[in-house]
Amino acid sequence: MSDTPFGFGLPPEEPEDGDEGKKKDQQSGGGQGPANPFGFGGMPGAGGFGGPGADNPLAAMFGSLNPTDLGAAFQQLGQMLSYEGGPVNWEMAKQIARQTVAQGTADGSKDASVGPAERRAVEEAVRLADLWLDDATSLPSGSASAVAWSRAEWVEATLPAWQELVDPVAERVGAAMGDVLPEEMQAMAGPLIGMMRSMGGAMFGTQIGQAVGVLAGEVVGSTDIGLPLGPARKAALLPANVEAFGKDLGVPLEEVRLYLALREAAHQRLFAHVPWLRSHLFGAVDGYARGIKVDTAKLEDVVGQFDPQNPEQLQDALQQGMFQPEDTPEQKAALARLETALALVEGWVDAVVHAAAKPRLSSADALRETLRRRRATGGPAEQTFATLIGLELRPRRLRDASRLWASLADARGVDGRDALWHHPDMLPTATDLDDPDGFVHREQLDFSELDKMLGEAADQPNPRKKDDETEGDGTE
């Protein structure tokens, strides 16, 4: 579990050499690395993301601009201060994500349009993957179509899901920024509160845009974090990232693509045929957001002393741990529920894909272990997810979940294993992951009789309704 979820920066450490150290730190761009949730290092003209001027939103926008760029910079500043939407400026987020993608990845790889040959290769891989999965799971295909995306297309396709994930957290922070003043003063302070909310929306949008843009250079599909980020029933792979993933593995690209297509298609089956699962996962995120507590005393001080001509003051205040979440029982419960559900999703996919690939791909074991290590070392998806909602997946839980699903298939068969997805109360819990054998051999809950009784009750005529109709037809 991350100690610094999105929007909740830790106070900066004091340099050992006091004020001189602070000056050096500011001059060198230190004191605000990529983990700073409100950094403006990703603004255009700032010398690159996290570059010079990242500690100061205005310096980030103007510090390294030449005169020809000033018009664009002032336009962006105007957009930031005039924003009147929700808690996150999503237009700014999309713009910065697209700019990040255009800059390329750290290894120099640039985004490019997907060609016809790559699209056909992805479509064929997903089609074959679905055929193989038919033998490994009782859930039917969940992919109505298969698409090959560029990184920019991935950004466009997944932003609606990021909005659903992040808005509940950002909403709490945004509401706190406007609620700290007494009610009788809020009318007079309307412009100030509006400016603070606009800047808050821009700060969230900047960080989210940068995070999503970086992630677009590393993900291989639409379900890398165990959540359905793309449109429903659309299996997607990113050919450029698939090739980069398999570059040093010594495995033919065709096998790498097929194995990743198996994972994408397995996720699609699960989310297409377990209708409650998506709302269960996203609801846990919302539950976490409701548990956030804001240090209103610090926020009141900032509002009372805020100078509209010195907007970087708000930036500095937001870095001082003002929005540290309290360790409430509600947050613990929501995070535990979400973590366990995601572990079960990823564990099921791991077990099903291994069962489908092992007899057919000589590289199945190597590819499986590569993906597991990627998660164990804090892969990009987990890091971004932790930045946005304060949650990291524990690799140990994923391995435990995979073993449990495999044991269930051995003991109850594929149909018996997959039947557990029929109702959330039938799924293993975090305690069951600690004792998989106990869960596998436990007496199964059977909801079929209850469903039958409910169905029969719905089919029976309503006596009162019949009496009412008789009364209406009678003669006086």
Side-chain angles (χ1 to χ4, degrees):
M1 189 179 301
S2 171
D3 293 328
T4 56
F6 177 79
F8 301 88
L10 293 175
E13 296 181 0
E14 289 290 336
E16 293 182 0
D17 48 354
D19 291 339
E20 289 300 317
K22 291 181 181 179
K23 293 177 182 177
K24 293 177 182 177
D25 190 54
Q26 292 169 358
Q27 293 169 358
S28 63
Q32 181 178 324
N36 174 24
F38 295 96
F40 273 76
M43 303 295 283
F49 290 90
D55 285 329
N56 183 331
L58 296 182
M61 297 183 72
F62 303 114
S64 60
L65 290 178
N66 59 54
T68 60
D69 294 329
L70 283 175
F74 277 116
Q75 182 180 10
Q76 185 152 19
L77 177 60
Q79 291 173 351
M80 180 182 75
L81 295 179
S82 63
Y83 174 70
E84 297 180 352
V88 178
N89 188 331
W90 285 102
E91 282 301 316
M92 180 173 287
K94 181 168 71 172
Q95 178 185 356
I96 292 176
R98 294 291 297 261
Q99 291 170 350
T100 305
V101 166
Q103 288 180 347
T105 59
D107 62 2
S109 173
K110 298 290 186 179
D111 192 25
S113 299
V114 179
E118 291 174 314
R119 295 189 187 280
R120 284 195 300 271
V122 168
E123 292 171 357
E124 292 172 2
V126 172
R127 188 181 305 113
L128 182 57
D130 261 332
L131 290 175
W132 288 7
L133 288 172
D134 285 339
D135 296 332
T137 174
S138 62
L139 298 181
S141 174
S143 307
S145 63
V147 294
W149 284 338
S150 67
R151 294 163 184 169
E153 288 173 325
W154 183 89
V155 168
E156 295 281 352
T158 62
L159 271 179
W162 289 118
Q163 183 171 353
E164 190 173 351
L165 282 168
V166 177
D167 269 352
V169 180
E171 182 67 42
R172 292 285 295 172
V173 177
M177 295 178 76
D179 294 342
V180 294
L181 290 178
E183 186 174 350
E184 60 274 11
M185 294 180 61
Q186 289 190 15
M188 293 185 294
L192 173 62
I193 294 174
M195 179 181 291
M196 292 180 65
R197 283 180 171 169
S198 295
M199 292 191 65
M203 291 172 182
F204 273 98
T206 299
Q207 182 66 11
I208 293 168
Q210 185 174 347
V212 171
V214 171
L215 187 58
E218 299 169 323
V219 294
V220 295
S222 70
T223 55
D224 282 41
I225 65 171
L227 288 173
L229 295 180
R233 302 182 71 89
K234 183 173 288 188
L237 292 179
L238 283 70
N241 294 355
V242 170
E243 183 176 356
F245 173 82
K247 183 177 180 181
D248 299 321
L249 299 181
V251 177
L253 176 60
E254 292 76 12
E255 292 192 21
V256 173
R257 184 192 299 115
L258 181 52
Y259 191 87
L260 296 176
L262 282 165
R263 289 184 54 82
E264 178 74 9
H267 277 104
Q268 293 296 333
R269 289 185 181 224
L270 195 58
F271 287 112
H273 300 292
V274 183
W276 54 265
L277 184 56
R278 189 184 190 279
S279 61
H280 178 75
L281 293 170
F282 281 71
V285 177
D286 185 68
Y288 168 76
R290 286 196 299 269
I292 291 174
K293 305 297 180 183
V294 179
D295 190 339
T296 55
K298 286 186 180 180
L299 193 55
E300 287 172 0
D301 291 340
V302 173
V303 172
Q305 302 173 14
F306 181 68
D307 180 4
Q309 298 182 359
N310 186 23
E312 64 267 25
Q313 178 185 14
L314 179 60
Q315 170 82 356
D316 295 337
L318 291 172
Q319 296 178 35
Q320 302 303 315
M322 182 184 301
F323 301 125
Q324 289 291 338
E326 289 185 359
D327 195 19
T328 63
E330 292 81 7
Q331 278 185 306
K332 287 183 177 180
L335 287 171
R337 184 168 67 253
L338 181 58
E339 184 178 61
T340 300
L342 286 171
L344 290 173
V345 168
E346 288 296 273
W348 182 88
V349 168
D350 180 78
V352 168
V353 168
H354 185 69
K358 176 67 172 176
R360 300 176 174 95
L361 287 179
S362 60
S363 58
D365 288 332
L367 290 168
R368 184 190 202 188
E369 189 59 29
T370 297
L371 284 163
R372 284 183 166 185
R373 288 181 180 179
R374 193 185 191 203
R375 287 194 176 276
T377 55
E382 287 78 14
Q383 291 172 358
T384 298
F385 200 38
T387 301
L388 296 181
I389 69 166
L391 173 73
E392 288 180 350
L393 302 180
R394 290 178 293 175
R396 182 180 63 84
R397 296 283 83 181
L398 299 178
R399 290 179 181 268
D400 291 344
S402 180
R403 284 195 294 268
L404 187 147
W405 289 118
S407 298
L408 283 168
D410 292 339
R412 305 182 186 179
V414 168
D415 290 348
R417 176 200 64 195
D418 294 345
L420 294 179
W421 289 106
H422 288 170
H423 194 281
D425 290 344
M426 298 175 67
L427 286 177
T429 64
T431 302
D432 295 324
L433 295 181
D434 295 326
D435 181 22
D437 290 337
F439 180 84
V440 169
H441 299 292
R442 186 184 308 160
E443 183 177 354
Q444 297 176 245
L445 294 174
D446 187 358
F447 287 84
S448 60
E449 287 301 320
L450 177 60
D451 291 340
K452 183 179 178 181
M453 292 171 60
L454 292 174
E456 291 174 350
D459 293 337
Q460 289 179 355
N462 187 332
R464 179 171 180 79
K465 182 178 180 182
K466 185 175 181 180
D467 292 342
D468 292 342
E469 292 174 349
T470 302
E471 292 175 4
D473 294 337
T475 58
E476 295 183 4

